[in-house]
Amino acid sequence: MDPFMQAAIEEARKGLEEGGIPIGSVIVHDGKIIGRGHNRRVQQGSVVLHGEMDAFENAGRLPAKVYQECTLYTTLSPCPMCSGAILLYGIPRVIVGENKTFMGEEELLRSRGVEVSVLQNEECIGLMNELIEKAPELWNEDIGE
């Protein structure tokens, strides 16, 4: 398996272990992870700390040129908020672990020139199915339902 997707899955597992939602993300520049994160809405009482947003936050304030040379890996299809951040910072490539449990704004990203690849990774699907089954109210809150 791609080591960067594996790192995103490790982040997702951390989220689950902390009592949160198992979605992880890493941002890669020149073959190196420069930001990693996981959904910490529950843990931090946050309305915005999805996995991708946490990875951006942990990457920190960087020149736009750096973000425009990155690939973002995420275990789940990016929601409208996270897709907006991807577009805002000009991330050109997004590798998605899966979109069976949730279809985010992949078409919006593609329409704006972002290369989106979906892996349908069984581990990513399993983590989300487990959460959706055990805590549907938590999941519905995360996706704004």
Side-chain angles (χ1 to χ4, degrees):
M1 177 187 295
D2 182 312
F4 300 124
M5 182 52 70
Q6 190 59 49
I9 291 170
E10 289 167 14
E11 287 293 325
R13 281 196 205 110
K14 281 184 195 175
L16 191 60
E17 289 166 10
E18 295 169 356
I21 295 170
I23 302 168
S25 183
V26 296
I27 300 171
V28 177
H29 182 260
D30 280 343
K32 180 181 171 210
I33 295 173
I34 62 168
R36 59 190 312 144
H38 55 276
N39 187 304
R40 295 188 307 137
R41 282 186 342 93
V42 173
Q43 302 90 310
Q44 299 292 320
S46 170
V47 297
V48 296
L49 277 181
H50 282 189
E52 300 92 335
M53 301 300 277
D54 195 36
F56 274 117
E57 186 68 16
N58 291 325
R61 188 173 162 210
L62 298 169
K65 181 177 181 348
V66 172
Y67 282 121
Q68 292 164 5
E69 297 171 346
C70 288
T71 299
L72 183 141
Y73 290 75
T74 181
T75 59
L76 186 65
S77 187
C79 76
M81 174 178 66
C82 296
S83 294
I86 290 164
L87 293 173
L88 178 67
Y89 292 106
I91 300 282
R93 284 171 306 286
V94 176
I95 310 296
V96 176
E98 67 102 351
N99 64 8
K100 288 185 177 189
T101 61
F102 176 78
M103 174 57 80
E105 296 296 327
E106 294 172 23
E107 287 310 312
L108 170 65
L109 292 171
R110 286 184 181 108
S111 77
R112 299 281 295 275
V114 177
E115 177 188 326
V116 179
S117 300
V118 182
L119 305 177
Q120 301 305 11
N121 177 282
E122 291 300 323
E123 191 170 0
C124 294
I125 295 167
L127 283 167
M128 288 309 302
N129 279 332
E130 182 179 337
L131 174 85
I132 292 166
E133 183 179 313
K134 290 182 178 176
E137 69 291 340
L138 191 59
W139 173 235
N140 289 337
E141 178 187 325
D142 202 63
I143 58 173
E145 289 186 8

